[in-house]
Amino acid sequence: YLSFSERQFVYPSHPVFTYLQKNAGLDRFWTYGDGYINANFATQYRVYSPDGTDALFPARLGELFYATETKGRFAPSQRIDARIARATEGDGMTDNSYRLRLLSLLGVKYVTDWARAQEEKFPQTRFTPVAHFDNWHIYEYKDALPRVFLTSSYTVETDRQKILDALFVQEPTGKTLVLEEQPSVQNTDLPIGSAHIETYTPNSVTVSVAPTNAGLLFLSDTHFPGWTAYVDGKKSIVYRANYAFRAVTIPLDATSVEFRYEPDSFRWGIIISLLSIIAGFVWMRRYER
């Protein structure tokens, strides 16, 4: 790749990306086997992959991804990546239940594959063929959770291994969240209503909500210092949910939730810059005299 190469030679148009751009929306996709697509391509085509592209990422996310390779065991000291381990051509999609569960938690609705015939590795009880282009195939994963949803069901656990057990080893929890501190809402199984992402940018996410009971809003985006939440304009606690993601409490009368990236480092950068400009101006005035 050369910095002056034409874009069409580095990121060419392709029916797979065209399909995802038209149909996936904010739902994520993942690539299987020889159909592997590098994570940086997703960013260029404005589609969403769970794989990270930077060497710097939250350790929690890397630990969660790596747990699909350790069969749910917590392994903090391993060299890990913010990527879900690739499936080889000898693996069926249902052979690794840990990876399958993680794809569900991450809202991976589409799986792409490049092969002549792979139907036996994508059982139609869980995967629906939705498109094919030559040897490329796209499947819809039926068990993928929404990128954002409301729930009133949760458990509280602080031990990392026990959190992973709840997510991977025990019976699938569906929309039951695993939190690390007690929220201010009651744990119930009541119907909770609906949520829909209105705007989605790198630094902010706005979600419209229509709750039928007080509960929790879950967003399968990474929990990270600097992200704040506002429920109908009022600042709210952002809980770490399902090991590495975000949740906020939602009162019965809530209508909107906004997540904003407002790190302290940005505020301090502005303050220091302003003070530097003022100091420079004062120094120049004194020098002129």
Side-chain angles (χ1 to χ4, degrees), residues 201-205 221-229 236 238 246 259-263:
T201 71
N203 294 321
S204 67
V205 181
D221 279 4
T222 308
H223 184 280
F224 191 77
W227 279 102
T228 56
S236 181
V238 181
R246 305 178 212 161
F259 294 91
R260 301 179 198 163
Y261 188 55
E262 302 173 326

Side-chain angles (χ1 to χ4, degrees), residues 56-171:
L56 298 176
F57 55 87
R60 279 298 193 95
L61 188 64
E63 291 166 4
L64 180 63
F65 284 12
Y66 191 64
T68 63
E69 300 180 62
T70 62
K71 297 184 178 180
R73 294 193 304 274
F74 172 61
S77 60
Q78 301 292 323
R79 180 178 176 84
I80 52 182
D81 296 312
R83 297 182 181 181
I84 302 174
R86 290 179 60 181
T88 65
E89 286 303 311
D91 293 338
M93 277 300 300
T94 58
D95 290 347
N96 187 330
S97 61
Y98 304 93
R99 182 176 59 218
L100 205 61
R101 177 61 182 156
L102 181 58
L103 294 178
S104 176
L105 291 172
L106 289 166
V108 176
K109 189 175 180 180
Y110 297 96
V111 178
T112 64
D113 176 43
W114 187 90
R116 293 185 182 278
Q118 291 281 68
E119 289 79 5
E120 72 282 358
K121 296 180 181 178
F122 291 85
Q124 293 196 21
T125 54
R126 290 190 170 184
F127 297 91
T128 301
V130 292
H132 70 273
F133 313 98
D134 295 327
N135 286 344
W136 282 95
H137 301 264
I138 302 178
Y139 300 88
E140 182 176 327
Y141 180 33
K142 298 178 182 180
D143 294 336
L145 291 172
R147 286 287 306 276
V148 62
F149 59 80
L150 297 179
T151 182
S152 59
S153 178
Y154 64 86
T155 60
V156 178
E157 182 55 69
T158 57
D159 183 83
R160 296 192 185 188
Q161 182 59 64
K162 291 181 179 179
I163 297 173
L164 292 175
D165 290 343
L167 295 176
F168 292 119
V169 179
Q170 300 170 8
E171 288 297 319

Side-chain angles (χ1 to χ4, degrees), residues 193-227:
S194 60
H196 177 73
I197 296 176
E198 295 291 342
T199 61
Y200 190 92
T201 71
N203 294 321
S204 67
V205 181
T206 304
V207 182
S208 63
V209 294
T212 55
N213 289 286
L216 291 156
L217 172 75
F218 174 77
L219 175 67
S220 61
D221 279 4
T222 308
H223 184 280
F224 191 77
W227 279 102

Side-chain angles (χ1 to χ4, degrees), residues 169-203:
V169 179
Q170 300 170 8
E171 288 297 319
T173 56
K175 292 185 177 180
T176 298
L177 302 182
V178 184
L179 306 178
E180 297 177 38
E181 55 184 306
Q182 185 69 39
S184 58
V185 293
Q186 186 177 0
N187 184 12
T188 69
D189 291 322
L190 296 172
I192 193 61
S194 60
H196 177 73
I197 296 176
E198 295 291 342
T199 61
Y200 190 92
T201 71
N203 294 321

Side-chain angles (χ1 to χ4, degrees), residues 11-45:
Y11 299 103
S13 61
H14 193 278
V16 168
F17 287 116
T18 301
Y19 180 89
L20 292 173
Q21 288 169 335
K22 290 182 178 179
N23 297 278
L26 296 176
D27 292 317
R28 294 187 172 102
F29 78 97
W30 185 69
T31 57
Y32 167 91
D34 286 344
Y36 182 71
I37 300 172
N38 284 320
N40 59 319
F41 279 76
T43 303
Q44 292 293 325
Y45 287 97

